[in-house]
Amino acid sequence: MGELRMIKIFDTTLRDGEQSPGCSMNLQEKLEVAQALVDLNVDIIEAGFPIASPGDFEAVRQIASTFRGVTICGLARCNDQDIDRAWEALKHAESPRIHVFLATSAIHRQFKLKMTREEILERAVRGVERALSYCDDVEFSPEDAARTERDFLAEVVEAAIRAGATTINIPDTVGYAVPKQMGETIAFLMNSVPNIDRATISVHCHNDLGLAVANSLAAIENGAGQVECTINGIGERAGNCALEEVVMALRTRADYYQCATRINTRRLVPTSRLVSTITGVAVQRNKAIVGRNAFAHEAGIHQDGLLKERTTYEIMRPEDVGWSKTDLVLGKHSGRAALADRARALGYRLTGEQLQRVFEQFKLLADKKKEIYDGDLVALIENQIRSVPHEEWSLVSFRVSSGTNESPSIRLTLRRGQQHFTEECSMGDGPIDAAFWAVERITGVPVVCKDFHVRSATIGRDAQGEATLEVEHEGDTYRGRGVSTDTVEATIKALLDAINRIVLTKKDAATTSATTSDGPVQATNAIQ
Ligand code: KIV
Ligand code: ZN
């Protein structure tokens, strides 16, 4: 193999990914994801769209001020206010980048912007120049480039480079392109834009036709040097190009693409798990690279072949993308060191205090369940590190009865501080509904359940059930999560987790409005 061309990985999980429904994150969660992206070794983190909301601004500002050794990027439309705000958020970054965008396709020009080609050209150049007045790393995106007339696209790209843009990103904003066409667009720009060698060409593909990764690879094959992608492929509508897939395609088929990235591929699975847990958006089982079945061989012939020679049926090694080699792990007699070791192998960095709490939960679980698998451990760890630090309400005990032709009833006791509160009720259409009623009555926090899932954390009928839910309260959405070998208990814990977040948000809002003379700060990102 000759020398490999380096492809820059531009991660937009915190911007394009986060802006999609159901994927919003609070500040703390964004900082956690940013840390994971740094550990993954991405080249550029697009941390948000600072003008979009005070929450977005603050996230970009804190990420820019915290992380070193990586470029931090903020998005802006081609207008002064957006660009100034982006710079305000980015100015403390070690390596800041302003990303300006403006739609160029005929549809967008005519219906959205109501601007002529000349006006678009002029606005794009002004945007790039303004961004350059703040920092010398400026990316320009002609939005909806894949549906833009090629001659005009080339004109805009040439003008943006002449104005000083150092990266030109070619977005397929609506996921309309097909691989051959995407490749030809990049090749056309490479061959017809005279100053193209003065900028890095990037690609940003949406997945509406399931072609985002294929289109990105076609662009790379034709000269793109940067690919924009997200963890688990989250993003607007059907999402963006999945980082884990494009990176592993380049690595596994380096013989074909002759390219490489700086990504630490062993962090792919832990990072995927983190983003999935934080957003509550599950990764489909058969998802390439990071899905639970990605390396599971079921067919007897395949298993036989694998045992004889791994490469008969495996093109990648599971451990190279962060799957641990074995699954069966610990038992009743395992100690704290073994637990810490396993947690590390699964990609977690626990503090001493977190490890102690997980260990206590682990011992309780080991009394109920003989074999503790990785999935059990992940559920326990996630539960510890994601729950609200100082919970207002916690579960003391419950008893529930339900049956055929019988209305369900529940006796529930919760704790707040030192006080216990008990409610007995016979309501709802099943034990879960009854539990919702009882929790609402005790806490006095009414919620509307918008989404609710229970899944088993591992195999076996004694597996822990992991309940995740999304509830609405006063127009805002909150997530909750709970685990237990009893699924009603897991659900009550998940509901209390969401209610504790509601209480915390209200307390924070009360403190903020008491301490700011300008009145309450607008809540921009209610999902906690
Ligand atoms: O899809 C898109 O066009 C975008 C741009 C802002 C790059 O996300
Ligand atoms: Zn996009």
Side-chain angles (χ1 to χ4, degrees), residues 374-403:
D374 284 349
D376 288 313
L377 220 52
V378 167
L380 285 185
I381 295 172
E382 292 288 348
N383 205 46
Q384 275 308 323
I385 61 183
R386 306 260 156 257
S387 52
V388 180
H390 302 290
E391 45 181 29
E392 182 89 357
W393 294 99
S394 59
L395 174 65
V396 177
S397 64
F398 76 97
R399 201 179 53 226
V400 68
S401 106
S402 71

mmCIF file of all heavy atoms in Angstrom, residues 374-403:
data_model
loop_
_atom_site.group_PDB
_atom_site.id
_atom_site.type_symbol
_atom_site.label_atom_id
_atom_site.label_comp_id
_atom_site.label_asym_id
_atom_site.label_seq_id
_atom_site.Cartn_x
_atom_site.Cartn_y
_atom_site.Cartn_z
ATOM 1 N N ASP A 374 -21.928 -8.084 30.524
ATOM 2 C CA ASP A 374 -21.553 -6.696 30.213
ATOM 3 C C ASP A 374 -22.783 -5.784 30.178
ATOM 4 O O ASP A 374 -22.750 -4.668 30.677
ATOM 5 C CB ASP A 374 -20.858 -6.625 28.850
ATOM 6 C CG ASP A 374 -19.424 -7.120 28.923
ATOM 7 O OD1 ASP A 374 -18.929 -7.313 30.047
ATOM 8 O OD2 ASP A 374 -18.814 -7.314 27.853
ATOM 9 N N GLY A 375 -23.866 -6.283 29.560
ATOM 10 C CA GLY A 375 -25.085 -5.475 29.436
ATOM 11 C C GLY A 375 -25.626 -5.069 30.805
ATOM 12 O O GLY A 375 -26.101 -3.953 31.003
ATOM 13 N N ASP A 376 -25.554 -6.018 31.795
ATOM 14 C CA ASP A 376 -26.018 -5.699 33.153
ATOM 15 C C ASP A 376 -25.173 -4.580 33.743
ATOM 16 O O ASP A 376 -25.677 -3.647 34.361
ATOM 17 C CB ASP A 376 -25.865 -6.928 34.065
ATOM 18 C CG ASP A 376 -26.875 -8.011 33.738
ATOM 19 O OD1 ASP A 376 -28.061 -7.667 33.587
ATOM 20 O OD2 ASP A 376 -26.473 -9.186 33.636
ATOM 21 N N LEU A 377 -23.862 -4.731 33.519
ATOM 22 C CA LEU A 377 -22.935 -3.763 34.093
ATOM 23 C C LEU A 377 -23.139 -2.382 33.475
ATOM 24 O O LEU A 377 -23.155 -1.364 34.169
ATOM 25 C CB LEU A 377 -21.516 -4.252 33.790
ATOM 26 C CG LEU A 377 -20.511 -4.077 34.905
ATOM 27 C CD1 LEU A 377 -21.005 -4.656 36.191
ATOM 28 C CD2 LEU A 377 -19.195 -4.732 34.489
ATOM 29 N N VAL A 378 -23.300 -2.370 32.144
ATOM 30 C CA VAL A 378 -23.524 -1.099 31.444
ATOM 31 C C VAL A 378 -24.788 -0.445 32.007
ATOM 32 O O VAL A 378 -24.808 0.752 32.307
ATOM 33 C CB VAL A 378 -23.657 -1.327 29.918
ATOM 34 C CG1 VAL A 378 -24.201 -0.094 29.224
ATOM 35 C CG2 VAL A 378 -22.308 -1.711 29.331
ATOM 36 N N ALA A 379 -25.857 -1.246 32.204
ATOM 37 C CA ALA A 379 -27.101 -0.683 32.724
ATOM 38 C C ALA A 379 -26.880 -0.088 34.115
ATOM 39 O O ALA A 379 -27.341 1.019 34.417
ATOM 40 C CB ALA A 379 -28.186 -1.753 32.758
ATOM 41 N N LEU A 380 -26.138 -0.800 34.973
ATOM 42 C CA LEU A 380 -25.890 -0.284 36.337
ATOM 43 C C LEU A 380 -25.055 0.995 36.296
ATOM 44 O O LEU A 380 -25.353 1.979 36.979
ATOM 45 C CB LEU A 380 -25.113 -1.311 37.164
ATOM 46 C CG LEU A 380 -25.842 -2.530 37.694
ATOM 47 C CD1 LEU A 380 -24.915 -3.354 38.582
ATOM 48 C CD2 LEU A 380 -27.067 -2.103 38.488
ATOM 49 N N ILE A 381 -24.006 0.963 35.473
ATOM 50 C CA ILE A 381 -23.105 2.128 35.406
ATOM 51 C C ILE A 381 -23.850 3.339 34.850
ATOM 52 O O ILE A 381 -23.809 4.430 35.422
ATOM 53 C CB ILE A 381 -21.858 1.817 34.545
ATOM 54 C CG1 ILE A 381 -21.030 0.732 35.204
ATOM 55 C CG2 ILE A 381 -21.025 3.067 34.341
ATOM 56 C CD1 ILE A 381 -19.883 0.206 34.337
ATOM 57 N N GLU A 382 -24.551 3.125 33.745
ATOM 58 C CA GLU A 382 -25.273 4.243 33.121
ATOM 59 C C GLU A 382 -26.268 4.826 34.114
ATOM 60 O O GLU A 382 -26.441 6.033 34.213
ATOM 61 C CB GLU A 382 -26.001 3.788 31.859
ATOM 62 C CG GLU A 382 -25.085 3.409 30.704
ATOM 63 C CD GLU A 382 -24.415 4.606 30.068
ATOM 64 O OE1 GLU A 382 -24.807 5.748 30.342
ATOM 65 O OE2 GLU A 382 -23.448 4.390 29.296
ATOM 66 N N ASN A 383 -26.919 3.937 34.852
ATOM 67 C CA ASN A 383 -27.909 4.399 35.811
ATOM 68 C C ASN A 383 -27.261 5.289 36.878
ATOM 69 O O ASN A 383 -27.791 6.320 37.260
ATOM 70 C CB ASN A 383 -28.566 3.187 36.468
ATOM 71 C CG ASN A 383 -29.934 3.559 36.952
ATOM 72 O OD1 ASN A 383 -30.674 4.192 36.221
ATOM 73 N ND2 ASN A 383 -30.260 3.193 38.171
ATOM 74 N N GLN A 384 -26.074 4.881 37.314
ATOM 75 C CA GLN A 384 -25.380 5.667 38.340
ATOM 76 C C GLN A 384 -24.897 6.999 37.791
ATOM 77 O O GLN A 384 -25.095 8.040 38.406
ATOM 78 C CB GLN A 384 -24.165 4.894 38.876
ATOM 79 C CG GLN A 384 -24.496 3.918 39.981
ATOM 80 C CD GLN A 384 -25.273 4.575 41.104
ATOM 81 O OE1 GLN A 384 -25.038 5.729 41.451
ATOM 82 N NE2 GLN A 384 -26.224 3.865 41.681
ATOM 83 N N ILE A 385 -24.276 6.970 36.601
ATOM 84 C CA ILE A 385 -23.658 8.219 36.150
ATOM 85 C C ILE A 385 -24.637 9.181 35.515
ATOM 86 O O ILE A 385 -24.344 10.347 35.381
ATOM 87 C CB ILE A 385 -22.423 7.988 35.242
ATOM 88 C CG1 ILE A 385 -22.793 7.233 33.982
ATOM 89 C CG2 ILE A 385 -21.340 7.246 35.949
ATOM 90 C CD1 ILE A 385 -21.595 6.921 33.092
ATOM 91 N N ARG A 386 -25.801 8.697 35.141
ATOM 92 C CA ARG A 386 -26.746 9.607 34.477
ATOM 93 C C ARG A 386 -27.846 10.125 35.388
ATOM 94 O O ARG A 386 -28.570 11.020 35.012
ATOM 95 C CB ARG A 386 -27.482 8.939 33.318
ATOM 96 C CG ARG A 386 -26.668 8.322 32.322
ATOM 97 C CD ARG A 386 -26.460 9.117 31.066
ATOM 98 N NE ARG A 386 -25.226 8.613 30.525
ATOM 99 C CZ ARG A 386 -24.079 9.256 30.621
ATOM 100 N NH1 ARG A 386 -24.021 10.446 31.097
ATOM 101 N NH2 ARG A 386 -22.970 8.694 30.188
ATOM 102 N N SER A 387 -28.030 9.494 36.565
ATOM 103 C CA SER A 387 -29.178 9.943 37.357
ATOM 104 C C SER A 387 -28.883 11.317 37.975
ATOM 105 O O SER A 387 -27.729 11.718 38.125
ATOM 106 C CB SER A 387 -29.550 8.918 38.419
ATOM 107 O OG SER A 387 -28.419 8.596 39.155
ATOM 108 N N VAL A 388 -29.951 12.027 38.318
ATOM 109 C CA VAL A 388 -29.805 13.368 38.886
ATOM 110 C C VAL A 388 -28.991 13.238 40.182
ATOM 111 O O VAL A 388 -29.284 12.392 41.020
ATOM 112 C CB VAL A 388 -31.201 13.938 39.207
ATOM 113 C CG1 VAL A 388 -31.102 15.324 39.791
ATOM 114 C CG2 VAL A 388 -32.056 13.945 37.958
ATOM 115 N N PRO A 389 -27.942 14.045 40.357
ATOM 116 C CA PRO A 389 -27.047 13.853 41.497
ATOM 117 C C PRO A 389 -27.746 13.912 42.864
ATOM 118 O O PRO A 389 -27.495 13.089 43.722
ATOM 119 C CB PRO A 389 -26.021 14.975 41.350
ATOM 120 C CG PRO A 389 -26.355 15.705 40.100
ATOM 121 C CD PRO A 389 -27.541 15.094 39.454
ATOM 122 N N HIS A 390 -28.610 14.905 43.060
ATOM 123 C CA HIS A 390 -29.285 14.969 44.377
ATOM 124 C C HIS A 390 -30.761 14.776 44.131
ATOM 125 O O HIS A 390 -31.487 15.727 43.881
ATOM 126 C CB HIS A 390 -29.000 16.304 45.057
ATOM 127 C CG HIS A 390 -27.546 16.528 45.232
ATOM 128 N ND1 HIS A 390 -26.798 15.796 46.113
ATOM 129 C CD2 HIS A 390 -26.676 17.337 44.584
ATOM 130 C CE1 HIS A 390 -25.526 16.163 46.021
ATOM 131 N NE2 HIS A 390 -25.434 17.098 45.089
ATOM 132 N N GLU A 391 -31.192 13.522 44.215
ATOM 133 C CA GLU A 391 -32.570 13.272 43.826
ATOM 134 C C GLU A 391 -33.552 13.722 44.888
ATOM 135 O O GLU A 391 -33.350 13.512 46.080
ATOM 136 C CB GLU A 391 -32.786 11.806 43.438
ATOM 137 C CG GLU A 391 -32.163 10.821 44.382
ATOM 138 C CD GLU A 391 -32.367 9.383 43.970
ATOM 139 O OE1 GLU A 391 -32.486 9.123 42.768
ATOM 140 O OE2 GLU A 391 -32.415 8.537 44.876
ATOM 141 N N GLU A 392 -34.609 14.377 44.422
ATOM 142 C CA GLU A 392 -35.651 14.876 45.307
ATOM 143 C C GLU A 392 -36.504 13.705 45.804
ATOM 144 O O GLU A 392 -36.743 13.550 46.983
ATOM 145 C CB GLU A 392 -36.510 15.857 44.491
ATOM 146 C CG GLU A 392 -37.630 16.509 45.264
ATOM 147 C CD GLU A 392 -37.191 17.787 45.945
ATOM 148 O OE1 GLU A 392 -35.994 18.134 45.857
ATOM 149 O OE2 GLU A 392 -38.051 18.421 46.581
ATOM 150 N N TRP A 393 -36.966 12.904 44.881
ATOM 151 C CA TRP A 393 -37.850 11.781 45.187
ATOM 152 C C TRP A 393 -37.146 10.461 44.913
ATOM 153 O O TRP A 393 -36.499 10.312 43.898
ATOM 154 C CB TRP A 393 -39.112 11.840 44.309
ATOM 155 C CG TRP A 393 -40.011 13.021 44.586
ATOM 156 C CD1 TRP A 393 -40.068 14.174 43.893
ATOM 157 C CD2 TRP A 393 -40.966 13.122 45.639
ATOM 158 N NE1 TRP A 393 -41.001 15.014 44.435
ATOM 159 C CE2 TRP A 393 -41.581 14.388 45.519
ATOM 160 C CE3 TRP A 393 -41.374 12.281 46.679
ATOM 161 C CZ2 TRP A 393 -42.564 14.827 46.403
ATOM 162 C CZ3 TRP A 393 -42.362 12.717 47.551
ATOM 163 C CH2 TRP A 393 -42.948 13.979 47.413
ATOM 164 N N SER A 394 -37.321 9.500 45.862
ATOM 165 C CA SER A 394 -36.792 8.164 45.575
ATOM 166 C C SER A 394 -37.789 7.102 46.021
ATOM 167 O O SER A 394 -38.668 7.362 46.850
ATOM 168 C CB SER A 394 -35.442 7.961 46.254
ATOM 169 O OG SER A 394 -35.599 8.122 47.639
ATOM 170 N N LEU A 395 -37.606 5.926 45.452
ATOM 171 C CA LEU A 395 -38.545 4.836 45.735
ATOM 172 C C LEU A 395 -38.170 4.137 47.038
ATOM 173 O O LEU A 395 -37.014 3.782 47.251
ATOM 174 C CB LEU A 395 -38.481 3.820 44.577
ATOM 175 C CG LEU A 395 -39.279 2.538 44.757
ATOM 176 C CD1 LEU A 395 -40.787 2.816 44.807
ATOM 177 C CD2 LEU A 395 -38.968 1.556 43.635
ATOM 178 N N VAL A 396 -39.175 3.952 47.904
ATOM 179 C CA VAL A 396 -38.947 3.176 49.132
ATOM 180 C C VAL A 396 -39.470 1.753 48.893
ATOM 181 O O VAL A 396 -38.734 0.774 49.020
ATOM 182 C CB VAL A 396 -39.659 3.821 50.347
ATOM 183 C CG1 VAL A 396 -39.472 2.957 51.596
ATOM 184 C CG2 VAL A 396 -39.137 5.233 50.578
ATOM 185 N N SER A 397 -40.741 1.632 48.549
ATOM 186 C CA SER A 397 -41.306 0.301 48.300
ATOM 187 C C SER A 397 -42.580 0.415 47.474
ATOM 188 O O SER A 397 -43.186 1.488 47.398
ATOM 189 C CB SER A 397 -41.632 -0.400 49.617
ATOM 190 O OG SER A 397 -42.655 0.336 50.277
ATOM 191 N N PHE A 398 -42.978 -0.696 46.881
ATOM 192 C CA PHE A 398 -44.271 -0.711 46.208
ATOM 193 C C PHE A 398 -44.803 -2.144 46.209
ATOM 194 O O PHE A 398 -44.049 -3.119 46.327
ATOM 195 C CB PHE A 398 -44.160 -0.188 44.763
ATOM 196 C CG PHE A 398 -43.554 -1.161 43.803
ATOM 197 C CD1 PHE A 398 -44.367 -1.957 43.002
ATOM 198 C CD2 PHE A 398 -42.186 -1.313 43.709
ATOM 199 C CE1 PHE A 398 -43.824 -2.876 42.128
ATOM 200 C CE2 PHE A 398 -41.631 -2.223 42.838
ATOM 201 C CZ PHE A 398 -42.441 -3.012 42.038
ATOM 202 N N ARG A 399 -46.127 -2.237 46.110
ATOM 203 C CA ARG A 399 -46.756 -3.535 45.911
ATOM 204 C C ARG A 399 -47.835 -3.316 44.876
ATOM 205 O O ARG A 399 -48.598 -2.344 44.959
ATOM 206 C CB ARG A 399 -47.354 -4.060 47.222
ATOM 207 C CG ARG A 399 -47.553 -5.585 47.182
ATOM 208 C CD ARG A 399 -48.098 -6.125 48.449
ATOM 209 N NE ARG A 399 -49.290 -5.375 48.737
ATOM 210 C CZ ARG A 399 -49.646 -4.852 49.897
ATOM 211 N NH1 ARG A 399 -48.976 -5.016 50.890
ATOM 212 N NH2 ARG A 399 -50.715 -4.144 50.086
ATOM 213 N N VAL A 400 -47.874 -4.192 43.909
ATOM 214 C CA VAL A 400 -48.832 -3.962 42.839
ATOM 215 C C VAL A 400 -49.599 -5.255 42.588
ATOM 216 O O VAL A 400 -49.048 -6.340 42.766
ATOM 217 C CB VAL A 400 -48.094 -3.456 41.572
ATOM 218 C CG1 VAL A 400 -47.220 -4.504 40.973
ATOM 219 C CG2 VAL A 400 -49.037 -2.923 40.526
ATOM 220 N N SER A 401 -50.885 -5.097 42.280
ATOM 221 C CA SER A 401 -51.611 -6.316 41.910
ATOM 222 C C SER A 401 -52.430 -6.035 40.665
ATOM 223 O O SER A 401 -53.011 -4.952 40.504
ATOM 224 C CB SER A 401 -52.467 -6.794 43.089
ATOM 225 O OG SER A 401 -53.816 -6.519 42.862
ATOM 226 N N SER A 402 -52.436 -6.999 39.760
ATOM 227 C CA SER A 402 -53.234 -6.853 38.544
ATOM 228 C C SER A 402 -53.539 -8.250 38.014
ATOM 229 O O SER A 402 -52.879 -9.220 38.396
ATOM 230 C CB SER A 402 -52.475 -6.055 37.486
ATOM 231 O OG SER A 402 -51.414 -6.826 36.990
ATOM 232 N N GLY A 403 -54.544 -8.345 37.208
ATOM 233 C CA GLY A 403 -54.884 -9.658 36.667
ATOM 234 C C GLY A 403 -56.001 -9.530 35.652
ATOM 235 O O GLY A 403 -56.524 -8.428 35.423
#
